[in-house]
Amino acid sequence: YYEKPVGKQQEVIDIDITGLPENCDEIRLKRAANVKHIISTEINYDNFLGKCKGDGRIKIRLNDGETTE
């Protein structure tokens, strides 16, 4: 049997990001976030040129003791 943790519940944060460089990919975005649990990342690409358009989105799960900062 597992005990349920007492305290703050897990929180999911959805962040819109702008100002990304043209060579940004999902791996670089995950490393820049520097958190333990990343649910998903999305980067808008120009399909014709194959470059980042400069904006994206990242979903992060915060556990106990982690803050949005």
Side-chain angles (χ1 to χ4, degrees):
Y1 298 108
Y2 295 101
E3 293 182 21
K4 293 184 179 180
V6 177
K8 181 181 171 187
Q9 295 291 331
Q10 294 178 351
E11 183 179 357
V12 176
I13 299 174
D14 189 10
I15 303 172
D16 290 325
I17 300 173
T18 58
L20 296 172
E22 289 182 346
N23 63 349
C24 187
D25 58 1
E26 291 183 0
I27 294 172
R28 288 185 185 187
L29 186 57
K30 288 179 181 181
R31 286 183 186 156
N34 196 23
V35 294
K36 293 180 183 176
H37 192 106
I38 297 174
I39 297 171
S40 67
T41 56
E42 297 175 20
I43 296 178
N44 291 331
Y45 287 104
D46 182 354
N47 291 331
F48 185 69
L49 298 175
K51 296 181 180 180
C52 175
K53 289 184 177 180
D55 59 338
R57 171 176 277 176
I58 188 167
K59 287 185 182 181
I60 300 170
R61 177 177 293 131
L62 297 178
N63 294 317
D64 290 335
E66 295 178 332
T67 63
T68 57
E69 289 81 31

